[in-house]
Amino acid sequence: MDLHILDHRLRVTCISKSGLQHYTHPLIKLIFLRNRTRCKFFSLTETPENYTVVLDEEGFKELHPSEHLQVEGSTWLPLNVVSNGNASSSSQAVGVTKIAKSVIAPLAEQHVSVFMLSTYQTDFILVREKDLSVVVETLVEEFNIFREEGGESVPVHSQDSCNGLQRNGREVPHATVHPVLIPENHFCVMSLDPDTLPAIATTLIDVLFYSNSPKEGASVDQDMECIKFFSFSLIDGYVSLVMDTDAQRQFPADLLFTSSSGELWRMVRIGGQPLGFDECGIVAQISQPLADSDISAYYISTFSFDHALVPEEDITSVMEMLQTQRKEMSS
Amino acid sequence: MDLHILDHRLRVTCISKSGLQHYTHPLIKLIFLRNRTRCKFFSLTETPENYTVVLDEEGFKELHPSEHLQVEGSTWLPLNVVSNGNASSSSQAVGVTKIAKSVIAPLAEQHVSVFMLSTYQTDFILVREKDLSVVVETLVEEFNIFREEGGESVPVHSQDSCNGLQRNGREVPHATVHPVLIPENHFCVMSLDPDTLPAIATTLIDVLFYSNSPKEGASVDQDMECIKFFSFSLIDGYVSLVMDTDAQRQFPADLLFTSSSGELWRMVRIGGQPLGFDECGIVAQISQPLADSDISAYYISTFSFDHALVPEEDITSVMEMLQTQRKEMSS
């Protein structure tokens, strides 16, 4: 299999709930006005706590500093696994499950923090630029590694980066067991033709920027067991949307599409306290048992918590699996 | 003819060019998200100087005070002339020309300031609430006057308001001759089905909120003789747009419509220095000769200047007319 280090230098930022309106102007530009910006990697995820915005340096320039914006200090690089037909795995599972054993687990063992961003199209594994040499050293046996540079794929060899492994290599992964939350919402992972993005503009703007103000005449029987979670990304021209079925009903039915019609996902939110960015092995802890059971999963990290999405029919076995893991780790 | 005092209490405000981005959030809500606001009267006009926003009190609540927002101190009421079939005028002209002699001139004589807002659908004559009694007293002979209240039209009689006329009545209208500017742009006055507003959302957002930042790859051969002028209004569910042909080309051709296809207008901008809100007779000075010559005209007041739009084929005679008027007044 091939591993591509993509040609994007990313920042991970967070906008407070009350601060979002101050960023309406740059965010609408980044989402809808592609010919006004050079930003090629943009992702915005709303959670109950805040808005996580991951974007490249061109996009980051648009976000003026303010008390409402928090910025993680590092530059992150997105990695991407491409099956080149020779994949040895017989797994039918998709998402983070496919890369759990080959990428996530080895990186966790080498104490490399990862920030995951699954989209409709693929799964981006974000690693800190400073960890790149360790990453290459760790993954070079399993993968042909390429670095994308100005549209070309340049092979990367491990001798280019030999001093990293010593630094992170020998540490034992931290084994905190984080509490999980399993909300009642059902989620869809969707896409649309980027040329039809204007057709959903007002709905998307409404959902992203105004959904916290009560709608005139709307009923207020909100299910307290549901969680607010909405993710939009526009990466290299591809749109991906993750939303619950309540949000989905607001969009025109004929424009958004899922990979298999009617496929719904349940969420496992990881973390009782905000997770931070330094702990390693969080993704591994949940993706390993999913891989063992061949259960597909999307995985979306945010500024505060991590979120795995599993097929709704598998949620019971995932819950049992997590309980078992919990007992084993605490014994 | 009938004169209706509409059921809107309006504020006239102004957002600075550099401050617009701070008002993106409330303005997009007012323009596109009708079910999130009770605002029923909204108008936004961009000029080279600033953005004039006229809106009712529900809409005004959305605009947070800041150094970027100027607010005219008065409450304004919109008047509207409705021909009820018994119109004595044989004029084919439209717009402010139709009401020049019956409304504009008498109010100027009574020293009542007016703020004009022509739209695709009609011409709103805004007067200060405190001047209402003078307005009624002045126009009651010519019109059946109704006050719209909660969806009903209530007849208004002059004895309800007899003390106003003494106050303003005997003053001689001020006869300042303001310089005029006649830019090269050609303008269209357009409308669209409000249900198709989402279809032009990204274009409208681009034009309104991002047109001052250079477009990637756009050429910069801006004609210095042209003026930036764009007006959008959403009043009682009706959309009106005034834009030049350059802006028009950015919109999908099949959604916007004009009253007669291909009708183009030239602008006469009135005022060398910002006009303020207290001088009377500015509209009268230009609309009277237009009425004498039966030339149609739209008229849009803004925070700084007034703007008349006349049919492109009449611009030469309008220019001559203005020159003659100028000579007469200075002699």
Side-chain angles (χ1 to χ4, degrees), chain B residues 67-107:
Chain B
E67 56 183 327
H68 306 291
L69 181 75
Q70 270 182 275
V71 182
E72 204 279 326
S74 322
T75 298
W76 297 76
L77 304 177
L79 313 179
N80 194 204
V81 170
V82 180
S83 313
N84 48 13
N86 304 322
S88 56
S89 163
S90 60
S91 164
Q92 295 303 303
V94 300
V96 76
T97 306
K98 252 185 7 192
I99 53 172
K101 291 190 187 296
S102 57
V103 181
I104 303 297
L107 290 181

Side-chain angles (χ1 to χ4, degrees), chain A residues 21 24-26 28-29 32-33 35-38 64 197-198 201-202 205-206 209-211 213-216, chain B residues 21 24-26 28-29 32-33 35-38 64 197-199 201-202 205-206 209-211 213-216:
Chain A
Q21 57 175 303
T24 310
H25 193 268
I28 284 185
K29 180 173 169 182
F32 296 108
L33 305 177
N35 60 352
R36 291 221 180 258
T37 166
R38 286 201 186 90
H64 54 279
L197 195 53
T202 50
I205 286 172
D206 195 359
F209 295 99
Y210 301 90
S211 58
S213 60
K215 210 166 201 163
E216 295 293 327
Chain B
Q21 57 176 301
T24 311
H25 193 268
I28 284 184
K29 180 173 169 180
F32 296 107
L33 305 177
N35 60 354
R36 292 220 178 257
T37 166
R38 287 202 183 88
H64 53 277
L197 195 51
T202 50
I205 287 171
D206 195 1
F209 295 99
Y210 301 90
S211 58
S213 59
K215 212 167 200 164
E216 295 293 326

